[in-house]
Amino acid sequence: MTQKRKTTTKSDLKEALTRLLEKKDFEAISVSDIAREAGVNRGTFYLHYVDKFDMMDQLIDEILQNILLLLKEGNPKNKEEACPGIVKIFEYLKEDFDFIHAMTLNRFNYTSKLVHDFLFELTKQIGPIKENIAMVYPLPEDYAQEVFIYSNSAIFFHWIQKGGVESPEEIAKIFFRMSL
């Protein structure tokens, strides 16, 4: 009897990493642990990733690229248009919540960079946010932007730590009350 070829290997590896991150620190997880948890051999892991750090980098980059794509698709010009675009981003994050939650608990620096990059792009692409930052924070532009980024990062991380209990619509409204 022939076995069906597994076509979901990368997805299985991600799910395995997510389960492992819920149990132990990323530093304590080995490639063998990930492969075993995913039900594949180490060689299969290495067909996709150089090591566990490369895996994490690729997964985070994929999330950021998807977020930026959603942001560009919406390309809101004003605050009325912006909220639905941000809702879509939070819906995307909610779909992958288990991984994002596990990653946030274990690799805060990775997640922090992801959120920072997203919010930085947001300030560049949504005019009303950029204008509001200048108005609300009477600081040099780069400092005002950082205050905005870290304030909204706190909202995002609080949502994650609470388990994403608010709907994407609710968290987008909270986010926009702070932003616009």
Side-chain angles (χ1 to χ4, degrees):
M1 180 166 151
T2 61
Q3 188 176 15
K4 260 189 158 178
R5 184 175 174 176
K6 209 171 206 178
T7 57
T8 60
T9 305
K10 284 184 101 169
S11 177
D12 292 342
L13 289 167
K14 181 179 178 180
E15 288 173 17
L17 177 60
T18 301
R19 287 190 299 273
L20 289 167
L21 286 170
E22 291 170 355
K23 299 176 200 169
K24 57 185 179 177
D25 186 64
F26 181 75
E27 300 303 323
I29 298 170
S30 69
V31 168
S32 294
D33 293 335
I34 298 167
R36 185 174 27 261
E37 184 74 23
V40 300
N41 64 44
R42 283 174 34 136
T44 302
F45 176 93
Y46 289 117
L47 289 174
H48 301 284
Y49 306 106
V50 173
D51 56 25
K52 69 180 185 176
F53 299 101
D54 178 51
M55 179 184 186
M56 185 65 81
D57 288 343
Q58 284 189 43
L59 293 172
I60 289 171
D61 188 55
E62 178 185 327
I63 291 169
L64 181 59
Q65 293 310 313
N66 287 333
I67 288 171
L68 294 177
L69 182 65
L70 288 168
L71 185 60
K72 286 179 184 170
E73 283 175 2
N75 198 12
K77 304 289 186 250
N78 57 53
K79 63 182 171 183
E80 289 78 28
E81 292 177 12
C83 199
I86 298 302
V87 169
K88 286 183 181 181
I89 290 169
F90 279 107
E91 286 171 347
Y92 167 74
L93 295 173
K94 190 80 170 188
E95 288 171 13
D96 203 11
F97 191 82
D98 290 342
F99 175 71
I100 291 167
H101 184 258
M103 180 179 59
T104 301
L105 295 176
N106 283 280
R107 300 298 287 177
F108 184 77
N109 290 341
Y110 276 75
T111 313
S112 182
K113 182 185 176 342
L114 172 72
V115 172
H116 185 279
D117 292 350
F118 159 64
L119 291 170
F120 181 77
E121 283 298 318
L122 192 68
T123 63
K124 289 183 355 186
Q125 293 190 27
I126 300 179
I129 289 178
K130 190 172 190 172
E131 294 162 12
N132 197 49
I133 291 171
M135 202 168 55
V136 172
Y137 306 111
L139 304 167
E141 185 178 339
D142 58 332
Y143 285 91
Q145 188 174 40
E146 288 300 311
V147 170
F148 166 82
I149 288 170
Y150 284 99
S151 297
N152 282 290
S153 292
I155 290 169
F156 174 79
F157 289 117
H158 186 66
W159 179 65
I160 295 293
Q161 289 173 343
K162 285 178 61 177
V165 293
E166 291 87 1
S167 71
E169 293 81 9
E170 291 171 309
I171 197 65
K173 285 179 185 173
I174 292 169
F175 181 87
F176 267 95
R177 273 187 242 138
M178 180 69 178
S179 305
L180 297 175

